[in-house]
Amino acid sequence: NTVHGLYATPEDSLEKRAVVYGLERLAASCSRAELLQNPEDLPVLRRLGVPDDRLVLLGNGIDLGRFDPVRVGPAPRHRVRAELGIADDEVVVGLVGRLVREKGIGDALAALGTLARAGRSFTLRVVGSGNAEHVRRLVKEHGLEDKVELLPHQDDAGLPRELARAQ
């Protein structure tokens, strides 16, 4: 069974936690191994009674070294920013992931809304797939229409280029 995150938190209602954790425990009882992306899920599954020898932490499978600014060097950053008309000293924030509540897009937009109201200058580039209409509503709700760009999903070649813009 592959666990892509447990969609219940301690703050959720008892009913939601019971359903989510109950189904996860049932799935675990039908599998030889629980393959986890998030280290935070290990103690939860242990509390649910999943034996340690069936818990395997895989992580997210992304080589973060591919995006290390030191390894990439400044030239791609300068070139990509010049192509987009972004000044070297302009703050560019990048969010990459599925556009779902569990990834924290609403929290990020609320925080950036606070920064915008305080007069901070930045551009947010959101890369991902999912509920773009919901994200657009949140952008409007936080007054960020002129600061946020929603971009489509990027493949493995496009993502380092996009991240170079935000470094």
Side-chain angles (χ1 to χ4, degrees), residues 85-151:
I86 300 172
D88 276 345
D89 62 346
E90 184 176 346
V91 175
V92 179
V93 179
L95 290 178
V96 179
R98 288 180 296 118
L99 305 179
V100 295
R101 182 183 63 83
E102 293 83 8
K103 296 290 185 178
I105 185 76
D107 297 332
L109 291 171
L112 291 169
T114 300
L115 289 176
R117 286 187 299 280
R120 297 295 180 93
S121 178
F122 62 87
T123 298
L124 171 64
R125 297 176 64 85
V126 180
V127 179
S129 58
N131 193 343
E133 281 308 311
H134 176 67
V135 174
R136 284 187 188 93
R137 283 191 301 275
L138 290 172
V139 165
K140 186 173 183 172
E141 177 183 317
H142 295 292
L144 297 169
E145 297 93 337
D146 62 334
K147 296 187 174 296
V148 177
E149 297 177 58
L150 290 180
L151 304 164

Side-chain angles (χ1 to χ4, degrees), residues 22-83:
L23 289 173
E24 197 59 52
R25 180 64 183 110
L26 177 63
S29 71
C30 298
S31 65
R32 292 187 181 137
E34 293 294 296
L35 307 176
L36 303 150
Q37 288 183 305
N38 304 316
E40 300 86 13
D41 293 339
L42 283 168
V44 175
L45 290 172
R46 286 182 182 120
R47 281 194 310 274
L48 294 176
V50 179
D52 270 348
D53 65 344
R54 297 207 339 237
L55 297 174
V56 180
L57 179 62
L58 300 175
N60 282 316
I62 296 173
D63 176 9
L64 297 178
R66 290 179 53 212
F67 309 108
D68 184 347
V70 173
R71 184 173 163 207
V72 173
R77 176 186 185 272
H78 295 302
R79 185 181 65 252
V80 170
R81 281 176 165 250
E83 289 172 9

